[in-house]
Amino acid sequence: LSPSRHHYHLVPAGSCGLEAAVTGGSVAIPMPALHRPRGWDAASVAAPVEPRPADGIDLHSTSGADGAVHAAHAETPSHEPSSPAQYAILISHETAAAWPSVVAALVRKHRGVTFEVPPADINSDTTVEQLRALRPRPLYLAIVAHWQECGEPFVRQVHRLTRRIDPTHPFGDVAWGVITGHDEDSARTMAAVEAPLAIRRVVSGSVEGVDLRAFHSGVAVNELVQHHGKQKGGPRTGTGDDAEGGEDWEVPADTTMLLKREIEDPRTDLIVTSGHARETEWNIGFGFPGGQFRPGDDGTMRAFGVGSATGPDAILPGEGGVLPPVDPVDGVPIAANGRPRVYSAAGNCLMGHVNSERCMALAWFRSCGVRQMVGYTVPTWFGFAGWGVHRYLFGNVGALTFAESYFANQQALQLRLLQVKSSLRVSGDAAGSRDSRLEAEQEGLAFDSDATVLFGDPAWEARIVPPETDSGGAYYDVELSESESESGLVEVVVRVTTLRAGCWTPACADDKTTLPGRPPFIYRKPRTLDAPWPCASYINPAVSDGMIITAMFVMVPLEGGFDAGEAITRTAVVGRGPQGTLPGLQCESQPAAAAPAASVSSTTNSSAISAQYTAAVLYSPRFRSARGAGNHDGTVASQKRSSRAQVLKR
């Protein structure tokens, strides 16, 4: 070891070509500045220039539990990221030794920078400082965890870690995902998926929970009403004339095998479930006998028809039931692992909690082709963090990927939590008493903040491709432009144009039907890893009632109903943060379009934007949409229907 060189110890890297460990000595390789051993001052780390050996082999160091620095082996990626620091990987020393090919797959795709972190230290100050030291700031964070490591307490700490990197605001600073599996092969399959997924077909265990207008085809089974479902793009055997939103469909009393076949259909891209669930089973019917999916003894997913359900939430046919158990005692295997899919368990308790090698999440990965999944790690009762992902998926169809929709909804949750806290503070100061409704909402939002997980590579692109019809399109379009003055101030202009009538405000926390139902959201980051960052990435975060600006994204707090053709413009001027602008990056700004007379427009100068978000009053009627809350009759009716359905469900 010398000031300029470090001895990297080569270790096996699974399927990436390194057959055995190098023994009898070490290979001295120039050490990038980023990968300095423990004890070096992280604040002094400069932007590294990653070595590119002539034979196309990358070596990325990780610091092991013994203090040694190990090397991960990877082939030349198919694209050239602007910097390996844009993708960070956290993994424990034990998992790195047991699953080397999983990290190798991620390094091959993204040239990620890998840090070994004990699971108990995932949210430690040391981990936070390691991520803060990366230049440029990472866009993505993959946490590779053995299934024994990634239970609910671990996921909760990951949430908190990703909101601590920039201490000046409460929002997430990096898009993240947990990569795990039943074994190394399963986890590597999740990590290695590369080709983008175009989502055209959906299979849903909830009619309310999916908007078939956004898809080319799909089926939905009603977990609240037996014999009822909706289908789109199948044989026209149902009733009703709403073909674009799906036609009503009479389904069998036991839909277990129907759902099994639909999931096995190679055309299926997205799976949605709702209803009672635990780590060990999913009950297809909410208030009636509906069968189950649950893992078999070998950890693979199996289907059990009505009468074969087990567990405290199982509903069996009454005496003389018309559907006796007909399935094998160990269920019918589900074989659908050939095609990558994404899965939303937005309406289920505990589906995302990994507590054993025979849990539901691992079975979805192993048997059903699931490469990304969103689910609750706890019993869910509030629903904002789960169903809100669908608001971004269906409200601005195709604008965000599945993983980006999860990230966006997490930021909308933090925004709403700030709004509620601010409203409670204002109302308490004015009346001397607290609003019990807002207090209950604050409790629910705080509960949901850390209650869900995204499994999978957060950079993998799975995006809805809507049909070319008016009903399948987005509710709004959002444009972002940034320009930097010679003095270093950055003007940020966001323009939101509504394309069809809708409502920004959800009817309740677990609203499944109001669209878009969330504030407009747009990334400041590039759409791909090989694109340069925008100018002034390290601007001072600005949190106000007019606009939320961070290094990652811009979000516009809006509420109430709206009609097609409305325009809302927000303009803010902010200063650069302490890191300044990255060297060599240029600003590609566009002039802000003039807002029509009917639009709502506001301009806020830099002195009016505070990074001290605790003092900001965010829930302001000054920035309501021109229509105002509840002025759109169709939306209000939809909200009332949704509210009644939630009461019945509960």
Side-chain angles (χ1 to χ4, degrees):
L1 178 65
S2 69
S4 61
R5 287 182 175 270
H6 188 80
H7 290 91
Y8 283 67
H9 301 282
L10 301 181
V11 297
S15 61
C16 285
L18 194 60
E19 299 299 332
V22 176
T23 58
S26 299
V27 181
I29 300 173
M31 186 182 73
L34 185 66
H35 301 312
R36 293 174 177 174
R38 292 176 182 176
W40 288 49
D41 181 13
S44 67
V45 177
V49 178
E50 190 75 352
R52 299 284 299 170
D55 61 359
I57 301 298
D58 286 337
L59 292 173
H60 300 276
S61 67
T62 59
S63 180
D66 57 357
V69 176
H70 304 275
H73 171 283
E75 298 173 357
T76 304
S78 57
H79 60 275
E80 291 290 338
S82 58
S83 168
Q86 291 186 328
Y87 196 102
I89 304 166
L90 301 183
I91 188 171
S92 70
H93 178 70
E94 294 74 16
T95 302
W99 290 358
S101 64
V102 180
V103 174
L106 292 172
V107 171
R108 179 185 62 82
K109 284 200 302 182
H110 304 304
R111 293 180 59 204
V113 178
T114 306
F115 299 96
E116 286 191 0
V117 178
D121 295 339
I122 194 70
N123 189 25
S124 67
D125 291 343
T126 300
T127 306
V128 173
E129 290 302 324
Q130 285 177 321
L131 295 176
R132 284 178 183 167
L134 294 178
R135 296 292 183 272
R137 181 172 299 176
L139 304 178
Y140 301 103
L141 176 65
I143 302 97
V144 180
H146 192 276
W147 63 263
Q148 293 177 317
E149 298 172 338
C150 57
E152 185 274 330
F154 179 84
V155 171
R156 187 186 333 125
Q157 293 306 316
V158 171
H159 274 282
R160 296 174 182 181
L161 164 70
T162 59
R163 297 196 297 265
R164 289 181 60 202
I165 300 172
D166 186 337
T168 65
H169 63 76
F171 300 98
D173 297 305
V174 63
W176 61 274
V178 174
I179 295 175
T180 189
H182 181 271
D183 51 27
E184 182 182 8
D185 287 342
S186 179
R188 182 178 63 248
T189 300
M190 176 181 284
V193 62
E194 196 159 359
L197 175 64
I199 302 174
R200 292 184 172 89
R201 180 174 174 80
V202 63
V203 173
S204 176
S206 169
V207 167
E208 269 197 313
V210 65
D211 184 358
L212 289 177
R213 294 174 298 178
F215 301 92
H216 291 252
S217 65
V219 297
V221 173
N222 198 330
E223 86 275 29
L224 301 176
V225 181
Q226 197 170 23
H227 296 288
H228 177 250
K230 277 184 171 286
Q231 66 171 334
K232 179 181 180 180
R236 298 190 57 79
T237 58
T239 61
D241 55 5
D242 187 14
E244 291 182 352
E247 58 177 349
D248 291 317
W249 181 29
E250 184 175 353
V251 299
D254 184 359
T255 58
T256 308
M257 298 306 157
L258 182 153
L259 287 168
K260 170 189 175 295
R261 290 192 300 270
E262 293 292 340
I263 289 173
E264 290 178 334
D265 188 328
R267 299 174 299 165
T268 297
D269 305 307
L270 169 65
I271 303 169
V272 177
T273 61
S274 183
H276 288 306
R278 295 174 184 265
E279 299 95 337
T280 51
E281 74 265 354
W282 168 45
N283 290 277
I284 296 171
F286 188 86
F288 57 86
Q292 280 183 342
F293 282 11
R294 62 178 189 262
D297 292 338
D298 60 354
T300 59
M301 188 70 82
R302 295 172 181 266
F304 296 82
V306 172
S308 301
T310 62
D313 300 323
I315 302 176
L316 300 174
E319 185 177 352
V322 296
L323 292 168
V326 295
D327 306 322
V329 66
D330 56 352
V332 180
I334 300 176
N337 198 34
R339 175 179 170 79
R341 296 177 169 90
V342 292
Y343 169 43
S344 170
N348 298 120
C349 297
L350 295 166
M351 195 73 84
H353 187 213
V354 177
N355 67 341
S356 78
E357 60 183 335
R358 289 183 56 231
C359 70
M360 289 294 291
L362 300 185
W364 285 110
F365 307 154
R366 191 177 183 187
S367 300
C368 302
V370 171
R371 303 295 179 258
Q372 280 181 346
M373 170 185 169
V374 170
Y376 275 91
T377 60
V378 295
T380 171
W381 55 272
F382 195 65
F384 193 103
W387 290 115
V389 177
H390 294 200
R391 309 277 64 74
Y392 280 111
L393 279 176
F394 306 150
N396 199 7
V397 184
L400 299 176
T401 68
F402 184 76
E404 290 170 345
S405 296
Y406 175 77
F407 179 81
N409 189 59
Q410 286 292 307
Q411 313 323 311
L413 188 155
Q414 295 302 320
L415 170 62
R416 182 58 189 158
L417 185 57
L418 283 178
Q419 292 171 334
V420 170
K421 288 180 177 179
S422 179
S423 295
L424 281 170
R425 184 170 57 249
V426 172
S427 63
D429 293 343
S433 61
R434 307 273 284 184
D435 186 321
S436 59
R437 180 188 62 84
L438 288 176
E439 286 185 329
E441 186 179 2
Q442 176 179 272
E443 179 186 1
L445 290 165
F447 174 86
D448 259 27
S449 289
D450 305 327
T452 58
V453 60
L454 173 78
F455 289 111
D457 180 356
W460 182 51
E461 184 171 309
R463 190 187 306 273
I464 295 178
V465 179
E468 296 180 359
T469 61
D470 292 339
S471 66
Y475 278 76
Y476 63 94
D477 181 51
V478 56
E479 298 177 0
L480 171 66
S481 64
E482 301 180 15
S483 57
E484 186 172 0
S485 67
E486 294 181 358
S487 62
L489 295 178
V490 180
E491 182 182 62
V492 180
V493 180
V494 178
R495 179 180 173 85
V496 179
T497 304
T498 61
L499 305 177
R500 51 198 297 200
C503 186
W504 303 113
T505 309
C508 56
D510 60 349
D511 188 350
K512 305 174 188 62
T513 56
T514 302
L515 289 172
R518 290 293 186 272
F521 177 100
I522 187 169
Y523 275 97
R524 294 188 65 239
K525 70 176 181 62
R527 306 305 294 174
T528 60
L529 281 171
D530 55 349
W533 273 57
C535 73
S537 292
Y538 293 113
I539 63 173
N540 290 313
V543 179
S544 75
D545 51 0
M547 195 167 8
I548 309 298
I549 306 172
T550 76
M552 282 281 287
F553 65 88
V554 175
M555 187 162 49
V556 183
L558 295 173
E559 60 176 8
F562 57 83
D563 284 325
E566 297 182 12
I568 303 98
T569 301
R570 295 284 186 272
T571 302
V573 179
V574 295
R576 291 188 296 181
Q579 275 96 353
T581 310
L582 295 177
L585 297 185
Q586 297 179 350
C587 173
E588 297 181 0
S589 62
Q590 298 178 354
S599 69
V600 179
S601 178
S602 65
T603 302
T604 311
N605 59 36
S606 57
S607 63
I609 292 187
S610 171
Q612 301 300 317
Y613 55 86
T614 55
V617 179
L618 294 159
Y619 200 70
S620 172
R622 292 187 295 122
F623 294 102
R624 294 191 179 196
S625 175
R627 290 287 298 174
N631 283 356
H632 185 257
D633 295 339
T635 303
V636 171
S638 171
Q639 293 172 354
K640 291 178 179 177
R641 287 194 298 271
S642 175
S643 299
R644 285 198 297 271
Q646 296 313 307
V647 171
L648 290 172
K649 181 172 179 179
R650 286 168 179 161

